[in-house]
Amino acid sequence: MAEKTRIDIALLLPAVPDARDACVLRLRNLLRTKEGIETAHLVDVKDTGAGQICIHFDPARFSVGEVRDLARRAGVDLEKRFGHLLLKSEPMHARQARTVELRASQIVGVLEAAASPAGVLRIEFDRHLTTEEAFLAGVQKLGLRIIEVQKQPTLAEPTEVVSKAVGKEREHKHGGLFGERTELYFAVLCGAFLITGWLLSSFSHLSSWMPWSLYVAAYIFGGFYTFREAFQSITGRGVQATVDG
């Protein structure tokens, strides 16, 4: 009859951000291939919010200690293959965050990229396809001002936490003329100019140039960020799709 043991995912893969990370599924699938391991599956621990992996094994082949050691070695192998980085940049508007996420995912060796308007970029990459240095060189082409790079501790390097600036530190700005809410203010101005122009053209006898000038202003404020991102893509300021590693 099979026995089972549960192990916290954080003990096996300390560098992964949560149980939804792809490395957790890789760990599960890797353990399932081991002779004497009947199955392995993920378990949510609701009381603590932590994830665990439950391993069912043949007690005639393994002891509990041997199974836990096997799982630990599998975790070390995965962390040697797959790297995780957390990059911090200046805050950005939501549309720019989506663009950064897409372009970062196109860098050779990147398996997953997630960017937030708060300026946090989370990356998983394959060490067989690229290096941390090559990836960071590619990130510099994103047009972001990277303030900090954090490398999470791993089982192989349990005490190492790397935090460093990429390039020269620059004055911290918040995304535009009005700070991090610039895009919102531009949208409000766009709507205000558009409505005012329509009211003047419909209910006043002013020259037609007045409402049309307001329409033009509305167009400028409404399309500013879209035009800027398109311009950056065309001129090559965005990230290049390939980075030699």
Side-chain angles (χ1 to χ4, degrees):
M1 182 177 178
E3 293 186 10
K4 60 184 179 180
T5 183
R6 290 187 179 187
I7 310 173
D8 289 342
I9 292 172
L11 296 176
L12 302 177
L13 298 168
V16 304
D18 53 55
R20 295 169 297 178
D21 190 272
C23 273
V24 176
L25 295 179
R26 295 187 188 106
L27 176 65
R28 182 199 66 182
N29 295 336
L30 185 60
L31 290 172
R32 286 178 173 178
T33 64
K34 303 296 183 181
E35 188 175 353
I37 301 297
E38 295 191 0
T39 190
H41 60 93
L42 305 180
V43 179
D44 288 329
V45 183
K46 296 182 179 180
D47 294 338
T48 63
Q52 292 184 334
I53 188 165
C54 182
I55 307 171
H56 298 241
F57 63 95
D58 182 355
R61 297 291 305 273
F62 297 109
S63 66
V64 172
E66 289 172 333
V67 170
R68 297 177 75 87
D69 185 62
L70 177 67
R72 180 184 179 279
R73 284 187 277 112
V76 170
D77 290 341
L78 286 172
E79 290 190 329
K80 287 180 179 178
R81 169 75 184 271
F82 303 100
H84 297 80
L85 289 174
L86 186 67
L87 284 67
K88 294 183 179 180
S89 71
E90 296 177 353
M92 63 190 85
H93 54 84
R95 189 185 296 112
Q96 185 182 5
R98 292 192 295 270
T99 301
V100 167
E101 184 175 299
L102 174 62
R103 292 175 179 166
S105 66
Q106 294 173 344
I107 298 176
V108 169
V110 172
L111 303 176
E112 183 180 2
S116 73
V120 177
L121 178 61
R122 182 172 62 83
I123 297 294
E124 181 187 48
F125 63 96
D126 188 337
R127 299 184 192 275
H128 287 187
L129 299 177
T130 189
T131 64
E132 182 178 325
E133 292 73 18
F135 166 72
L136 291 176
V139 168
Q140 299 242 30
K141 299 178 182 179
L142 289 171
L144 292 176
R145 295 175 179 175
I146 302 299
I147 299 171
E148 188 177 41
V149 179
Q150 294 184 352
K151 179 182 177 182
Q152 300 298 319
T154 67
L155 288 172
E157 303 166 324
T159 62
E160 182 179 2
V161 179
V162 178
S163 179
K164 59 184 179 180
V166 177
K168 295 182 179 179
E169 288 193 25
R170 303 180 184 180
E171 183 180 356
H172 189 79
K173 299 180 181 178
H174 291 277
L177 181 62
F178 302 109
E180 57 187 10
R181 295 189 176 183
T182 298
E183 187 175 10
L184 173 62
Y185 293 152
F186 275 25
V188 171
L189 289 172
C190 172
F193 282 126
L194 188 64
I195 292 173
T196 304
W198 177 78
L199 289 174
L200 290 177
S201 64
S202 301
F203 302 104
S204 73
H205 301 287
L206 294 176
S207 174
S208 62
W209 71 265
M210 178 62 74
W212 275 108
S213 64
L214 293 173
Y215 291 148
V216 171
Y219 176 81
I220 292 173
F221 281 104
F224 175 79
Y225 281 102
T226 300
F227 173 79
R228 188 179 72 170
E229 291 177 12
F231 178 77
Q232 290 175 358
S233 298
I234 293 172
T235 58
R237 186 181 174 189
V239 67
Q240 302 299 316
T242 59
V243 177
D244 293 335

